[in-house]
Amino acid sequence: MRIVSGIQPTGNLHLGNYLGAIRNWVAMQDKVTAEGGECLYFLADLHAISMPHVPADLAANTREMIAALVACGLDPERSILFNQGQVPQHAELQWLLNGTARMGWLNRMTQWKDKAGKNREGASVALFTYPVLQAADVLLYQATHVPVGEDQKQHLELARDIAQKFNNDFCTEDAPLFTLPAPFIPPEAARIMSLRDGTQKMSKSDPSDMSRINMTDSADTIMQKVKKAKTDPEPLPSEKAGLEGRPEAKNLVAIYAAMAGSTVDAVLGEFGGEGFGKFKPALGELLVEKLGPINERFLALREDIPALDAILRKGGEKARALGIPTLQKTYDALGIMRG
Ligand code: TRP
């Protein structure tokens, strides 16, 4: 098995990122590397320039994010951790795949439509070809599985389409070049919502800091945010179905279940019939207990810039060694001579 996944270096990691993606990356690292497979996890700094950005912030966020990933349990000795910028082969392969990807395929991408909005003429070309770079990210390493959230499934299907068409067009049937990557959407990948509005995703761009729990939040801040989280006046139901139409209650229970490594049913078994006056302190304490050690490691690591840069550099070296042979075969398949 070869696992490859990326995350945009937005900075300010929050509980939504942790429960939605990173926790699963750690679990896969622990399982897959023990079985002799490889995990490559990277910060998608090349993708970040598809939207307006501040260069100094991008560099700072990339470092902050690698500190957060390591603090959450990703181990640079077992997983290959890097930022895309260290591995020019991503961008090279993207260019080669641009010959295979079709305009029509990219035009159908919902993320492109959402992010470009009404102003397609003013959107960057990088935003349009973003999914081709994402395909290159995984095809370069012959990824077998790509852990992603539901929202990235369409991009993964596109990567498979590109791989398939390239194999058809430029390889013989018995020697396809690219492995078709399978999206892996962990069933328990919780979609964590805002603490102020249970219908909105928890997000670093929400103007209210009370809407999210940040990796940098102290124990007091976490307790405060949970206490002030929006709820309804009803007690908790004893079964899952009773959470329908109660997005805030549903979200808090889902957070509890995810943090406890339990299930929504089990949490309701314990707290069904109780009001939020009892549930919220229990949730706050659980969060403090689980996030405290991560927070502590993060704050210390964040200061050690030479160590962070060394992790990215070494990870980049290992990633290049894995990716270069596939890139060379791609050039060969296309009839492009080098050296
Ligand atoms: N587009 C992904 C996101 O926004 C990040 C990403 C970039 C990615 N390249 C990837 C995810 C390759 C999986 C595999 O979440």
Side-chain angles (χ1 to χ4, degrees):
M1 268 176 115
R2 186 166 287 172
I3 311 298
V4 179
S5 196
I7 189 167
Q8 289 227 26
T10 50
N12 194 14
L13 207 78
H14 55 71
L15 187 67
N17 308 125
Y18 177 65
L19 291 179
I22 295 162
R23 192 179 53 131
N24 297 313
W25 288 11
V26 175
M28 295 192 95
Q29 159 188 276
D30 294 346
K31 182 168 173 292
V32 171
T33 60
E35 292 166 358
E38 280 123 6
C39 294
L40 294 96
Y41 298 121
F42 62 86
L43 301 166
D45 51 0
L46 294 180
H47 277 112
I49 64 166
S50 61
M51 294 292 271
H53 83 289
V54 178
D57 290 352
L58 178 55
N61 288 343
T62 300
R63 287 197 180 107
E64 178 166 326
M65 210 77 160
I66 190 69
L69 295 184
V70 174
C72 289
L74 289 177
D75 172 3
E77 298 298 320
R78 284 185 290 155
S79 291
I80 302 180
L81 307 178
F82 62 105
N83 59 302
Q84 276 169 324
Q86 307 271 355
V87 188
Q89 287 74 18
H90 288 238
E92 281 183 70
L93 184 60
Q94 181 196 14
W95 178 256
L96 301 182
L97 298 178
N98 275 339
T100 294
R102 306 287 94 181
M103 293 286 286
W105 298 355
L106 295 180
N107 259 322
R108 282 196 285 278
M109 294 293 115
T110 56
Q111 183 178 294
W112 153 250
K113 290 191 259 188
D114 290 348
K115 286 203 178 171
K118 286 200 177 60
N119 184 21
R120 289 202 188 177
E121 295 291 309
S124 73
V125 174
L127 188 64
F128 187 67
T129 61
Y130 180 119
V132 186
L133 178 59
Q134 187 162 345
D137 292 338
V138 298
L139 299 182
L140 181 63
Y141 302 109
Q142 307 284 356
T144 57
H145 298 81
V146 182
V148 284
E150 195 62 43
D151 63 328
Q152 293 297 314
K153 207 172 149 198
Q154 195 186 31
H155 286 166
L156 252 294
E157 277 157 13
L158 182 94
R160 291 172 64 89
D161 289 343
I162 292 175
Q164 183 108 60
K165 181 166 167 56
F166 190 101
N167 288 344
N168 277 336
D169 291 354
F170 301 111
C171 310
T172 55
E173 214 167 299
D174 54 324
L177 174 45
F178 293 115
T179 306
L180 301 197
F184 176 73
I185 301 176
E188 70 286 7
R191 189 158 181 260
I192 302 303
M193 312 306 280
S194 159
L195 299 180
R196 307 299 304 166
D197 175 355
T199 66
Q200 297 294 315
K201 232 173 125 166
M202 185 176 283
S203 158
K204 77 140 206 164
S205 50
D206 192 314
S208 167
D209 194 56
M210 295 303 281
S211 71
R212 63 185 161 260
I213 290 177
N214 304 304
M215 280 301 157
T216 45
D217 286 345
S218 67
D220 284 352
T221 308
I222 293 176
M223 292 304 285
Q224 274 299 318
K225 285 181 174 176
V226 173
K227 198 169 138 206
K228 296 249 168 74
K230 185 177 167 197
T231 46
D232 54 44
E234 303 296 318
L236 284 170
S238 23
E239 269 161 32
K240 222 181 189 157
L243 290 171
E244 285 317 308
R246 300 178 62 187
E248 285 81 18
K250 188 174 174 183
N251 187 39
L252 295 184
V253 172
I255 293 175
Y256 192 105
M259 292 308 291
S262 170
T263 62
V264 167
D265 285 320
V267 176
L268 292 178
E270 190 181 343
F271 290 97
E274 301 283 0
F276 287 98
K278 171 125 189 253
F279 182 67
K280 279 180 162 182
L283 174 59
E285 274 160 31
L286 178 65
L287 283 165
V288 167
E289 178 201 324
K290 300 278 181 183
L291 295 180
I294 295 178
N295 173 272
E296 216 169 284
R297 283 196 295 272
F298 172 63
L299 293 179
L301 264 170
R302 194 165 65 152
E303 303 304 317
D304 195 349
I305 291 181
L308 298 174
D309 290 358
I311 291 172
L312 294 174
R313 200 171 48 242
K314 284 186 199 145
E317 238 164 71
K318 293 185 206 162
R320 285 196 299 275
L322 285 181
I324 282 172
T326 294
L327 181 67
Q328 181 57 47
K329 285 186 202 149
T330 313
Y331 278 115
D332 292 343
L334 293 169
I336 297 169
M337 296 188 288
R338 320 163 76 213

